[in-house]
Amino acid sequence: MIEVCGLHKQFKTPVVKEGRFAGLRTLFTREYRMKEAVKDISFTISQGDFVGYIGPNGAGKSTTIKMLTGILHPSSGEVKIGGINPHHNRRHVAKRLGVVFGQRSQLWWDLPVKDSYDILAHMYKVASSEKEKRLDELGELLDLKEFWLTPVRKLSLGQRMRADIAASMLHDPDVLFLDEPTIGLDVTAKRSIRGFLKKLNSEYGKTILLTTHDMDDIEQLCQRVMVINHGKLSYEGTIGNLRDKIGLPTRIHVTFHGTYQMPIPKDLSLPVELGLDAEHTFQIVEASSHEIHIEANRQQVKAMDILRMVSGWGEVADIHMEEPDFEDIIHRIY
Ligand code: ADP
Ligand code: MG
């Protein structure tokens, strides 16, 4: 559905001089600095995928999305949406795309929400009956009815974002690009937007590329993530594989009925050998009379092996596994 091959974007910005008459000198000297915002990015996204696009500020996420939608021309490389290059045939591609920039509304600030939809429907040549039908549906799903007649500037951020997402869906595109749609929202507003996006993907089969800073967005919504850093893709794959690759330990909490017998000294600094080989170890990081807390790297040790060993130490009452925090994983790769 989306094919990106060797995408580059360089920005040429005038160097701003310092000191007196700096502005004037900048005008005349025309010195430029080249900024490579996106460097040789390639990926494909299949129909029905929900992909997260993450990376620190300034990594090149928005620049990539602008090139995907045809707003910006790549310096080199190629984009195809459903087999069509958005730079050669922007109108054609625009019909299939919905785009939301969380930081910038596409609605008319002073007009009632409803009026913006009328304008957009006209721009996208959506027939009036079709528009009404879709607005009925979107209004229901996104709870728009309560502020239908309110000017956009009077909406809360959460309402505005819902209104913007509805606007991007008005022409019923099959691909959605969402650039930070949950930025600045409170927990409830985030939850309602996530619920809607999930539905769009799983029930309506929309292909979605989502940029976000919120790792909960990614964990709850995306089957796959792409990580961009300094304009380059540094990871592409599932969240599970990302966890494994970074190798942060999984925590396992075991509670015993009564006491337990560890067949080794309770020296917490020593890795416990599973009797497999030296590499297959795990660490007991905390122990009390009825409980132990274990850390293990799941790439090296199978959880089952640990459980088998632990159950030999006493009667296990409860086992609870805690995967490494996604936030921590992301900090490791940035
Ligand atoms: P992100 O969305 O990941 O935060 P952006 O794609 O917005 O990052 O920006 C990537 C880099 O390109 C940044 O260093 C930014 O300053 C630069 N950049 C973005 N847009 C422009 C522009 N229009 N002119 C010059 N530099 C730009
Ligand atoms: Mg951005």
Side-chain angles (χ1 to χ4, degrees):
M1 178 60 93
I2 302 166
E3 292 163 276
V4 171
C5 188
L7 206 58
H8 277 268
K9 183 68 193 180
Q10 273 197 335
F11 289 111
K12 190 176 170 186
T13 45
V15 175
V16 179
K17 293 278 166 59
E18 287 179 17
R20 280 177 82 198
F21 308 116
L24 262 183
R25 271 191 286 147
T26 302
L27 258 181
F28 290 114
T29 52
R30 294 190 192 279
E31 248 182 75
Y32 292 99
R33 189 180 293 129
M34 302 306 277
K35 164 84 201 174
E36 238 187 313
V38 169
K39 303 168 195 166
D40 195 22
I41 282 189
S42 303
F43 58 81
T44 52
I45 296 177
S46 311
Q47 187 159 6
D49 277 359
F50 200 140
V51 179
Y53 196 37
I54 58 178
N57 266 331
K61 302 179 295 295
S62 297
T63 305
T64 310
I65 290 192
K66 285 174 190 163
M67 289 192 280
L68 293 181
T69 56
I71 299 172
L72 270 181
H73 265 267
S75 305
S76 62
E78 199 180 33
V79 177
K80 276 189 179 161
I81 311 280
I84 301 168
N85 184 323
H87 305 283
H88 297 162
N89 204 337
R90 187 162 167 200
R91 248 161 220 268
H92 203 97
V93 171
K95 277 192 192 148
R96 310 193 53 181
L97 292 184
V99 189
V100 175
F101 288 101
Q103 319 252 33
R104 229 182 102 228
S105 180
Q106 59 172 320
L107 305 171
W108 282 263
W109 213 235
D110 293 310
L111 297 182
V113 175
K114 190 182 162 301
D115 293 9
S116 281
Y117 294 147
D118 290 340
I119 301 175
L120 285 168
H122 183 76
M123 277 166 58
Y124 281 100
K125 299 190 168 61
V126 180
S128 165
S129 59
E130 210 176 318
K131 180 195 77 183
E132 293 306 328
K133 185 176 141 255
R134 207 153 293 137
L135 279 179
D136 253 2
E137 206 175 1
L138 288 166
E140 195 74 40
L141 288 167
L142 284 163
D143 236 345
L144 305 177
K145 303 268 152 103
E146 51 174 298
F147 51 81
W148 211 236
L149 298 173
T150 314
V152 172
R153 68 185 143 77
K154 290 197 174 160
L155 300 182
S156 73
L157 188 56
Q159 291 173 330
R160 204 273 281 159
M161 212 67 93
R162 267 146 55 205
D164 251 294
I165 293 176
S168 75
M169 297 296 304
L170 209 54
H171 57 298
D172 199 27
D174 32 44
V175 180
L176 269 179
F177 295 124
L178 303 153
D179 194 1
E180 310 264 9
T182 57
I183 197 160
L185 300 186
D186 61 42
V187 181
T188 321
K190 274 183 184 172
R191 192 178 303 138
S192 109
I193 285 186
R194 276 184 205 136
F196 178 69
L197 296 180
K198 190 165 226 160
K199 204 171 235 174
L200 278 187
N201 175 252
S202 61
E203 286 176 30
Y204 296 78
K206 306 291 180 193
T207 307
I208 302 180
L209 180 67
L210 167 73
T211 288
T212 180
H213 269 90
D214 191 311
M215 294 312 147
D216 290 336
D217 284 351
I218 299 282
E219 274 206 293
Q220 290 174 27
L221 295 173
C222 302
Q223 295 124 6
R224 194 150 66 90
V225 279
M226 302 192 292
V227 181
I228 182 175
N229 204 354
H230 299 298
K232 281 194 163 155
L233 278 192
S234 60
Y235 175 81
E236 198 204 329
T238 61
I239 295 174
N241 284 342
L242 183 59
R243 277 205 179 93
D244 290 348
K245 187 180 166 212
I246 305 296
L248 283 176
T250 300
R251 271 199 156 217
I252 304 168
H253 309 275
V254 188
T255 317
F256 294 93
H257 281 301
T259 52
Y260 59 95
Q261 279 289 311
M262 233 194 294
I264 45 138
K266 289 188 181 182
D267 179 350
L268 301 188
S269 66
L270 286 178
V272 181
E273 286 185 28
L274 275 172
L276 301 167
D277 55 61
E279 270 186 18
H280 291 81
T281 59
F282 60 91
Q283 192 117 28
I284 295 180
V285 289
E286 249 182 272
S288 63
S289 59
H290 297 87
E291 264 182 49
I292 53 173
H293 298 254
I294 294 167
E295 275 189 5
N297 187 327
R298 295 245 266 146
Q299 257 182 322
Q300 293 167 0
V301 199
K302 282 208 196 80
M304 274 313 291
D305 287 335
I306 296 175
L307 300 187
R308 200 175 305 124
M309 168 159 258
V310 165
S311 59
W313 298 351
E315 199 191 330
V316 174
D318 187 36
I319 291 181
H320 169 69
M321 286 226 284
E322 211 178 290
E323 294 292 354
D325 195 19
F326 192 55
E327 201 87 32
D328 291 340
I329 296 175
I330 294 307
H331 278 300
R332 290 277 175 111
I333 34 176
Y334 284 177

Tab-separated table of all heavy atoms in Angstrom, residues 177-227:
chain	number	residue	atom	x	y	z
A	177	PHE	N	-2.546	9.170	7.772
A	177	PHE	CA	-1.296	9.579	8.401
A	177	PHE	C	-1.640	10.486	9.568
A	177	PHE	O	-2.298	11.515	9.384
A	177	PHE	CB	-0.410	10.344	7.418
A	177	PHE	CG	0.062	9.514	6.272
A	177	PHE	CD1	-0.180	9.909	4.965
A	177	PHE	CD2	0.761	8.337	6.490
A	177	PHE	CE1	0.253	9.140	3.895
A	177	PHE	CE2	1.189	7.560	5.428
A	177	PHE	CZ	0.945	7.959	4.127
A	178	LEU	N	-1.206	10.094	10.744
A	178	LEU	CA	-1.526	10.883	11.938
A	178	LEU	C	-0.223	11.325	12.592
A	178	LEU	O	0.553	10.492	13.060
A	178	LEU	CB	-2.340	10.030	12.914
A	178	LEU	CG	-3.631	9.452	12.348
A	178	LEU	CD1	-4.014	8.172	13.060
A	178	LEU	CD2	-4.742	10.470	12.447
A	179	ASP	N	0.017	12.618	12.594
A	179	ASP	CA	1.249	13.134	13.177
A	179	ASP	C	0.934	13.735	14.546
A	179	ASP	O	0.387	14.813	14.635
A	179	ASP	CB	1.848	14.203	12.238
A	179	ASP	CG	3.292	14.532	12.597
A	179	ASP	OD1	3.820	13.928	13.543
A	179	ASP	OD2	3.884	15.401	11.921
A	180	GLU	N	1.264	13.001	15.588
A	180	GLU	CA	1.030	13.420	16.978
A	180	GLU	C	-0.439	13.761	17.265
A	180	GLU	O	-0.730	14.856	17.758
A	180	GLU	CB	1.895	14.647	17.323
A	180	GLU	CG	3.348	14.495	16.963
A	180	GLU	CD	4.213	14.027	18.133
A	180	GLU	OE1	3.644	13.662	19.182
A	180	GLU	OE2	5.430	14.017	17.984
A	181	PRO	N	-1.354	12.846	17.009
A	181	PRO	CA	-2.766	13.170	17.245
A	181	PRO	C	-3.141	13.189	18.724
A	181	PRO	O	-4.244	13.622	19.053
A	181	PRO	CB	-3.508	12.041	16.526
A	181	PRO	CG	-2.574	10.893	16.601
A	181	PRO	CD	-1.186	11.468	16.522
A	182	THR	N	-2.255	12.733	19.606
A	182	THR	CA	-2.624	12.726	21.025
A	182	THR	C	-1.802	13.733	21.817
A	182	THR	O	-1.869	13.755	23.043
A	182	THR	CB	-2.442	11.321	21.647
A	182	THR	OG1	-1.081	10.914	21.463
A	182	THR	CG2	-3.370	10.316	21.023
A	183	ILE	N	-1.066	14.580	21.113
A	183	ILE	CA	-0.165	15.503	21.821
A	183	ILE	C	-0.957	16.480	22.703
A	183	ILE	O	-1.955	17.049	22.290
A	183	ILE	CB	0.749	16.244	20.815
A	183	ILE	CG1	1.932	16.851	21.549
A	183	ILE	CG2	0.011	17.294	20.001
A	183	ILE	CD1	3.101	17.176	20.646
A	184	GLY	N	-0.538	16.574	23.941
A	184	GLY	CA	-1.152	17.533	24.855
A	184	GLY	C	-2.504	17.124	25.431
A	184	GLY	O	-3.118	17.895	26.162
A	185	LEU	N	-2.994	15.940	25.091
A	185	LEU	CA	-4.325	15.545	25.558
A	185	LEU	C	-4.269	14.885	26.937
A	185	LEU	O	-3.270	14.276	27.296
A	185	LEU	CB	-4.956	14.550	24.575
A	185	LEU	CG	-5.156	15.019	23.146
A	185	LEU	CD1	-5.910	13.959	22.367
A	185	LEU	CD2	-5.917	16.330	23.131
A	186	ASP	N	-5.368	14.999	27.684
A	186	ASP	CA	-5.422	14.299	28.964
A	186	ASP	C	-5.769	12.828	28.713
A	186	ASP	O	-6.082	12.424	27.602
A	186	ASP	CB	-6.420	14.967	29.922
A	186	ASP	CG	-7.832	14.957	29.356
A	186	ASP	OD1	-8.243	13.924	28.788
A	186	ASP	OD2	-8.527	15.980	29.466
A	187	VAL	N	-5.691	12.067	29.787
A	187	VAL	CA	-5.841	10.611	29.679
A	187	VAL	C	-7.163	10.202	29.024
A	187	VAL	O	-7.188	9.328	28.162
A	187	VAL	CB	-5.745	9.967	31.082
A	187	VAL	CG1	-5.879	8.460	30.991
A	187	VAL	CG2	-4.411	10.329	31.722
A	188	THR	N	-8.247	10.857	29.417
A	188	THR	CA	-9.557	10.496	28.885
A	188	THR	C	-9.643	10.793	27.396
A	188	THR	O	-10.128	9.969	26.612
A	188	THR	CB	-10.669	11.314	29.595
A	188	THR	OG1	-10.331	11.420	30.955
A	188	THR	CG2	-12.011	10.666	29.416
A	189	ALA	N	-9.167	11.951	26.991
A	189	ALA	CA	-9.204	12.319	25.579
A	189	ALA	C	-8.332	11.375	24.757
A	189	ALA	O	-8.706	10.964	23.658
A	189	ALA	CB	-8.728	13.759	25.409
A	190	LYS	N	-7.182	11.008	25.316
A	190	LYS	CA	-6.300	10.071	24.620
A	190	LYS	C	-7.005	8.739	24.429
A	190	LYS	O	-6.941	8.135	23.370
A	190	LYS	CB	-5.031	9.828	25.436
A	190	LYS	CG	-3.957	10.845	25.187
A	190	LYS	CD	-2.705	10.499	25.968
A	190	LYS	CE	-1.689	11.613	25.765
A	190	LYS	NZ	-0.525	11.475	26.610
A	191	ARG	N	-7.681	8.288	25.487
A	191	ARG	CA	-8.335	6.987	25.430
A	191	ARG	C	-9.411	6.984	24.344
A	191	ARG	O	-9.537	6.043	23.579
A	191	ARG	CB	-8.948	6.642	26.793
A	191	ARG	CG	-9.376	5.197	26.882
A	191	ARG	CD	-9.938	4.868	28.253
A	191	ARG	NE	-9.002	5.148	29.323
A	191	ARG	CZ	-9.333	5.726	30.482
A	191	ARG	NH1	-10.564	6.087	30.719
A	191	ARG	NH2	-8.417	5.936	31.405
A	192	SER	N	-10.144	8.071	24.256
A	192	SER	CA	-11.230	8.091	23.278
A	192	SER	C	-10.661	8.104	21.847
A	192	SER	O	-11.193	7.449	20.953
A	192	SER	CB	-12.171	9.270	23.562
A	192	SER	OG	-12.054	10.273	22.600
A	193	ILE	N	-9.554	8.805	21.644
A	193	ILE	CA	-8.953	8.817	20.309
A	193	ILE	C	-8.343	7.465	19.965
A	193	ILE	O	-8.519	6.943	18.859
A	193	ILE	CB	-7.929	9.957	20.196
A	193	ILE	CG1	-8.725	11.269	20.081
A	193	ILE	CG2	-6.989	9.761	19.010
A	193	ILE	CD1	-7.942	12.484	19.831
A	194	ARG	N	-7.694	6.861	20.948
A	194	ARG	CA	-7.136	5.521	20.710
A	194	ARG	C	-8.227	4.530	20.336
A	194	ARG	O	-8.074	3.731	19.417
A	194	ARG	CB	-6.446	5.020	21.971
A	194	ARG	CG	-5.043	5.509	22.101
A	194	ARG	CD	-4.409	4.875	23.329
A	194	ARG	NE	-3.345	5.736	23.796
A	194	ARG	CZ	-3.131	6.055	25.070
A	194	ARG	NH1	-3.910	5.561	26.015
A	194	ARG	NH2	-2.136	6.854	25.398
A	195	GLY	N	-9.323	4.578	21.068
A	195	GLY	CA	-10.428	3.665	20.794
A	195	GLY	C	-10.916	3.810	19.368
A	195	GLY	O	-11.156	2.820	18.671
A	196	PHE	N	-11.031	5.054	18.937
A	196	PHE	CA	-11.506	5.309	17.579
A	196	PHE	C	-10.508	4.794	16.535
A	196	PHE	O	-10.885	4.139	15.557
A	196	PHE	CB	-11.743	6.815	17.386
A	196	PHE	CG	-12.180	7.177	15.999
A	196	PHE	CD1	-13.436	6.803	15.536
A	196	PHE	CD2	-11.335	7.866	15.144
A	196	PHE	CE1	-13.843	7.121	14.249
A	196	PHE	CE2	-11.739	8.188	13.861
A	196	PHE	CZ	-12.994	7.815	13.412
A	197	LEU	N	-9.212	5.075	16.755
A	197	LEU	CA	-8.201	4.642	15.785
A	197	LEU	C	-8.149	3.117	15.694
A	197	LEU	O	-8.000	2.547	14.612
A	197	LEU	CB	-6.826	5.189	16.166
A	197	LEU	CG	-6.691	6.716	16.131
A	197	LEU	CD1	-5.276	7.139	16.522
A	197	LEU	CD2	-7.043	7.267	14.744
A	198	LYS	N	-8.284	2.492	16.843
A	198	LYS	CA	-8.265	1.038	16.870
A	198	LYS	C	-9.403	0.485	16.012
A	198	LYS	O	-9.228	-0.430	15.220
A	198	LYS	CB	-8.404	0.565	18.316
A	198	LYS	CG	-8.169	-0.909	18.488
A	198	LYS	CD	-7.948	-1.239	19.951
A	198	LYS	CE	-6.744	-2.155	20.110
A	198	LYS	NZ	-6.174	-2.167	21.419
A	199	LYS	N	-10.566	1.079	16.166
A	199	LYS	CA	-11.736	0.666	15.415
A	199	LYS	C	-11.534	0.887	13.913
A	199	LYS	O	-11.856	0.031	13.092
A	199	LYS	CB	-12.934	1.485	15.893
A	199	LYS	CG	-14.261	0.815	15.647
A	199	LYS	CD	-15.359	1.583	16.348
A	199	LYS	CE	-16.167	0.702	17.265
A	199	LYS	NZ	-17.136	1.427	18.057
A	200	LEU	N	-10.988	2.047	13.575
A	200	LEU	CA	-10.745	2.353	12.162
A	200	LEU	C	-9.894	1.281	11.515
A	200	LEU	O	-10.107	0.888	10.375
A	200	LEU	CB	-9.994	3.685	12.025
A	200	LEU	CG	-10.798	4.965	12.094
A	200	LEU	CD1	-9.886	6.135	11.769
A	200	LEU	CD2	-11.960	4.919	11.106
A	201	ASN	N	-8.901	0.825	12.268
A	201	ASN	CA	-7.991	-0.179	11.727
A	201	ASN	C	-8.614	-1.570	11.735
A	201	ASN	O	-8.657	-2.242	10.695
A	201	ASN	CB	-6.685	-0.165	12.527
A	201	ASN	CG	-5.739	-1.267	12.107
A	201	ASN	OD1	-5.532	-2.240	12.831
A	201	ASN	ND2	-5.179	-1.140	10.908
A	202	SER	N	-9.166	-1.991	12.875
A	202	SER	CA	-9.597	-3.389	12.963
A	202	SER	C	-10.952	-3.631	12.307
A	202	SER	O	-11.177	-4.681	11.729
A	202	SER	CB	-9.600	-3.854	14.421
A	202	SER	OG	-10.502	-3.073	15.164
A	203	GLU	N	-11.856	-2.655	12.389
A	203	GLU	CA	-13.182	-2.887	11.809
A	203	GLU	C	-13.322	-2.347	10.396
A	203	GLU	O	-13.999	-2.922	9.562
A	203	GLU	CB	-14.265	-2.280	12.704
A	203	GLU	CG	-14.489	-3.102	13.949
A	203	GLU	CD	-15.493	-2.461	14.886
A	203	GLU	OE1	-16.402	-1.749	14.411
A	203	GLU	OE2	-15.340	-2.673	16.107
A	204	TYR	N	-12.691	-1.196	10.141
A	204	TYR	CA	-12.844	-0.571	8.833
A	204	TYR	C	-11.651	-0.837	7.913
A	204	TYR	O	-11.628	-0.395	6.775
A	204	TYR	CB	-13.077	0.930	8.979
A	204	TYR	CG	-14.374	1.283	9.687
A	204	TYR	CD1	-14.482	1.195	11.066
A	204	TYR	CD2	-15.485	1.678	8.955
A	204	TYR	CE1	-15.663	1.505	11.726
A	204	TYR	CE2	-16.678	2.001	9.598
A	204	TYR	CZ	-16.760	1.910	10.978
A	204	TYR	OH	-17.929	2.224	11.621
A	205	GLY	N	-10.634	-1.522	8.459
A	205	GLY	CA	-9.499	-1.942	7.636
A	205	GLY	C	-8.609	-0.826	7.120
A	205	GLY	O	-7.896	-1.004	6.130
A	206	LYS	N	-8.634	0.327	7.799
A	206	LYS	CA	-7.799	1.439	7.345
A	206	LYS	C	-6.328	1.156	7.632
A	206	LYS	O	-5.982	0.569	8.660
A	206	LYS	CB	-8.188	2.744	8.059
A	206	LYS	CG	-9.654	3.103	7.967
A	206	LYS	CD	-10.059	3.499	6.573
A	206	LYS	CE	-11.534	3.850	6.520
A	206	LYS	NZ	-12.036	3.955	5.149
A	207	THR	N	-5.483	1.587	6.717
A	207	THR	CA	-4.040	1.490	6.900
A	207	THR	C	-3.580	2.762	7.614
A	207	THR	O	-3.919	3.860	7.177
A	207	THR	CB	-3.348	1.400	5.525
A	207	THR	OG1	-3.956	0.333	4.791
A	207	THR	CG2	-1.862	1.160	5.660
A	208	ILE	N	-2.872	2.606	8.716
A	208	ILE	CA	-2.559	3.787	9.529
A	208	ILE	C	-1.068	3.880	9.863
A	208	ILE	O	-0.443	2.898	10.262
A	208	ILE	CB	-3.369	3.778	10.854
A	208	ILE	CG1	-4.883	3.727	10.540
A	208	ILE	CG2	-3.043	5.005	11.711
A	208	ILE	CD1	-5.778	3.710	11.763
A	209	LEU	N	-0.531	5.081	9.661
A	209	LEU	CA	0.824	5.393	10.120
A	209	LEU	C	0.693	6.481	11.172
A	209	LEU	O	0.152	7.553	10.915
A	209	LEU	CB	1.692	5.881	8.950
A	209	LEU	CG	3.137	6.231	9.310
A	209	LEU	CD1	3.923	4.996	9.728
A	209	LEU	CD2	3.847	6.899	8.134
A	210	LEU	N	1.184	6.178	12.367
A	210	LEU	CA	0.965	7.054	13.520
A	210	LEU	C	2.289	7.512	14.125
A	210	LEU	O	3.135	6.704	14.477
A	210	LEU	CB	0.178	6.275	14.583
A	210	LEU	CG	0.084	6.865	15.980
A	210	LEU	CD1	-0.863	8.053	16.004
A	210	LEU	CD2	-0.375	5.812	16.977
A	211	THR	N	2.447	8.825	14.201
A	211	THR	CA	3.597	9.390	14.885
A	211	THR	C	3.160	9.821	16.274
A	211	THR	O	2.109	10.430	16.426
A	211	THR	CB	4.094	10.616	14.103
A	211	THR	OG1	4.713	10.164	12.932
A	211	THR	CG2	5.084	11.417	14.892
A	212	THR	N	3.957	9.491	17.267
A	212	THR	CA	3.550	9.855	18.623
A	212	THR	C	4.744	9.884	19.563
A	212	THR	O	5.786	9.296	19.289
A	212	THR	CB	2.499	8.854	19.163
A	212	THR	OG1	2.129	9.238	20.479
A	212	THR	CG2	3.017	7.448	19.173
A	213	HIS	N	4.564	10.597	20.664
A	213	HIS	CA	5.556	10.559	21.731
A	213	HIS	C	5.066	9.674	22.860
A	213	HIS	O	5.777	9.433	23.819
A	213	HIS	CB	5.764	11.972	22.281
A	213	HIS	CG	6.846	12.691	21.578
A	213	HIS	ND1	6.623	13.467	20.469
A	213	HIS	CD2	8.175	12.725	21.801
A	213	HIS	CE1	7.776	13.944	20.061
A	213	HIS	NE2	8.712	13.512	20.845
A	214	ASP	N	3.827	9.236	22.717
A	214	ASP	CA	3.212	8.501	23.796
A	214	ASP	C	3.376	7.003	23.574
A	214	ASP	O	2.808	6.424	22.658
A	214	ASP	CB	1.717	8.858	23.857
A	214	ASP	CG	1.087	8.328	25.110
A	214	ASP	OD1	1.285	7.129	25.405
A	214	ASP	OD2	0.402	9.100	25.799
A	215	MET	N	4.184	6.376	24.409
A	215	MET	CA	4.488	4.970	24.210
A	215	MET	C	3.265	4.091	24.447
A	215	MET	O	3.183	2.985	23.932
A	215	MET	CB	5.642	4.537	25.115
A	215	MET	CG	6.940	5.221	24.737
A	215	MET	SD	7.216	5.129	22.943
A	215	MET	CE	8.051	6.677	22.675
A	216	ASP	N	2.293	4.596	25.221
A	216	ASP	CA	1.056	3.830	25.401
A	216	ASP	C	0.277	3.761	24.094
A	216	ASP	O	-0.331	2.748	23.773
A	216	ASP	CB	0.184	4.446	26.497
A	216	ASP	CG	0.803	4.252	27.873
A	216	ASP	OD1	1.593	3.289	28.012
A	216	ASP	OD2	0.523	5.049	28.772
A	217	ASP	N	0.302	4.842	23.329
A	217	ASP	CA	-0.318	4.823	21.998
A	217	ASP	C	0.246	3.654	21.199
A	217	ASP	O	-0.484	2.849	20.623
A	217	ASP	CB	0.033	6.102	21.206
A	217	ASP	CG	-0.742	7.329	21.663
A	217	ASP	OD1	-1.670	7.174	22.464
A	217	ASP	OD2	-0.397	8.428	21.195
A	218	ILE	N	1.558	3.600	21.171
A	218	ILE	CA	2.238	2.582	20.369
A	218	ILE	C	1.900	1.180	20.874
A	218	ILE	O	1.523	0.303	20.107
A	218	ILE	CB	3.770	2.787	20.432
A	218	ILE	CG1	4.151	4.160	19.864
A	218	ILE	CG2	4.515	1.672	19.727
A	218	ILE	CD1	4.151	4.239	18.385
A	219	GLU	N	2.033	0.996	22.173
A	219	GLU	CA	1.799	-0.334	22.729
A	219	GLU	C	0.368	-0.806	22.525
A	219	GLU	O	0.123	-1.965	22.278
A	219	GLU	CB	2.125	-0.340	24.224
A	219	GLU	CG	3.581	-0.597	24.470
A	219	GLU	CD	3.818	-1.229	25.826
A	219	GLU	OE1	3.579	-0.534	26.816
A	219	GLU	OE2	4.219	-2.396	25.873
A	220	GLN	N	-0.574	0.126	22.624
A	220	GLN	CA	-1.976	-0.287	22.538
A	220	GLN	C	-2.476	-0.406	21.104
A	220	GLN	O	-3.473	-1.058	20.849
A	220	GLN	CB	-2.849	0.686	23.324
A	220	GLN	CG	-2.626	0.559	24.822
A	220	GLN	CD	-3.374	1.624	25.597
A	220	GLN	OE1	-4.393	2.126	25.147
A	220	GLN	NE2	-2.864	1.978	26.758
A	221	LEU	N	-1.799	0.256	20.178
A	221	LEU	CA	-2.366	0.328	18.837
A	221	LEU	C	-1.555	-0.364	17.745
A	221	LEU	O	-2.133	-0.905	16.813
A	221	LEU	CB	-2.546	1.794	18.433
A	221	LEU	CG	-3.548	2.617	19.253
A	221	LEU	CD1	-3.480	4.072	18.855
A	221	LEU	CD2	-4.949	2.077	19.051
A	222	CYS	N	-0.248	-0.286	17.832
A	222	CYS	CA	0.553	-0.616	16.648
A	222	CYS	C	1.047	-2.049	16.644
A	222	CYS	O	1.491	-2.558	17.671
A	222	CYS	CB	1.746	0.317	16.559
A	222	CYS	SG	1.235	2.031	16.497
A	223	GLN	N	0.954	-2.676	15.480
A	223	GLN	CA	1.499	-4.015	15.336
A	223	GLN	C	3.013	-3.930	15.115
A	223	GLN	O	3.748	-4.839	15.410
A	223	GLN	CB	0.883	-4.722	14.126
A	223	GLN	CG	-0.606	-4.975	14.254
A	223	GLN	CD	-1.392	-4.380	13.105
A	223	GLN	OE1	-0.836	-3.866	12.137
A	223	GLN	NE2	-2.714	-4.431	13.214
A	224	ARG	N	3.429	-2.802	14.583
A	224	ARG	CA	4.822	-2.692	14.154
A	224	ARG	C	5.288	-1.270	14.464
A	224	ARG	O	4.484	-0.330	14.459
A	224	ARG	CB	4.852	-2.904	12.638
A	224	ARG	CG	6.176	-3.153	12.026
A	224	ARG	CD	5.994	-4.041	10.794
A	224	ARG	NE	5.246	-3.392	9.730
A	224	ARG	CZ	5.814	-2.669	8.773
A	224	ARG	NH1	7.108	-2.478	8.749
A	224	ARG	NH2	5.089	-2.136	7.823
A	225	VAL	N	6.558	-1.113	14.754
A	225	VAL	CA	7.096	0.231	14.941
A	225	VAL	C	8.298	0.464	14.039
A	225	VAL	O	9.041	-0.461	13.717
A	225	VAL	CB	7.568	0.521	16.389
A	225	VAL	CG1	6.427	0.888	17.281
A	225	VAL	CG2	8.377	-0.611	16.971
A	226	MET	N	8.466	1.716	13.661
A	226	MET	CA	9.681	2.135	12.986
A	226	MET	C	10.265	3.242	13.849
A	226	MET	O	9.557	4.141	14.280
A	226	MET	CB	9.373	2.664	11.596
A	226	MET	CG	8.670	1.641	10.723
A	226	MET	SD	8.608	2.147	9.000
A	226	MET	CE	7.500	3.548	9.100
A	227	VAL	N	11.551	3.129	14.119
A	227	VAL	CA	12.196	4.150	14.935
A	227	VAL	C	13.106	4.975	14.044
A	227	VAL	O	13.916	4.423	13.287
A	227	VAL	CB	13.038	3.505	16.067
A	227	VAL	CG1	13.689	4.586	16.920
A	227	VAL	CG2	12.175	2.603	16.926
